[in-house]
Amino acid sequence: MKGFKDIYINKDERFSIGFDEGSNRYYISIPVSNRMVDYEEYYVVPKDTALSYDNNIEDVLSIVRKCRDRKHDEHLFFKPGKDRGIPS
């Protein structure tokens, strides 16, 4: 079954990197919560960024911080709803 497949999970910094088999794109995901549910937001990242995370972790962490600050919203896989969550 096609879908989102994590290839790296960082529990300390609370993000993951993975590949979406349906769209053939790589992503960074972060956990978020609203008053109803906990979920993940998925942000498209270049393949080279996703696959070289072990060599450029500081660059990846910079992207993660920008995602949490909503500075990369143009890269979201899915447009957020009215009750958008906050990073958890």
Side-chain angles (χ1 to χ4, degrees):
M1 183 159 83
K2 292 185 178 185
F4 291 87
K5 305 288 183 187
D6 290 342
I7 56 177
Y8 172 74
I9 298 171
N10 187 311
K11 291 181 181 181
D12 293 331
E13 297 292 335
R14 299 183 50 93
F15 74 92
S16 65
I17 298 172
F19 180 70
D20 174 37
E21 296 171 322
S23 68
N24 290 322
R25 296 184 292 179
Y26 289 85
Y27 64 82
I28 285 177
S29 69
I30 60 169
V32 294
S33 299
N34 65 23
R35 54 193 166 95
M36 300 287 287
V37 67
D38 298 331
Y39 64 97
E40 291 183 73
E41 288 186 340
Y42 294 86
Y43 296 81
V44 177
V45 293
K47 178 181 179 179
D48 59 330
T49 299
L51 297 181
S52 64
Y53 62 85
D54 53 344
N55 294 327
N56 67 351
I57 194 66
E58 290 304 318
D59 292 339
V60 170
L61 289 173
S62 175
I63 294 169
V64 169
R65 285 189 285 277
K66 289 177 183 174
C67 293
R68 288 188 179 123
D69 291 341
R70 298 185 176 169
K71 293 180 180 175
H72 276 317
D73 283 359
E74 69 276 8
H75 299 290
L76 279 165
F77 265 78
F78 308 105
K79 183 179 175 183
K82 289 190 287 183
D83 191 12
R84 184 173 183 185
I86 57 171
S88 54

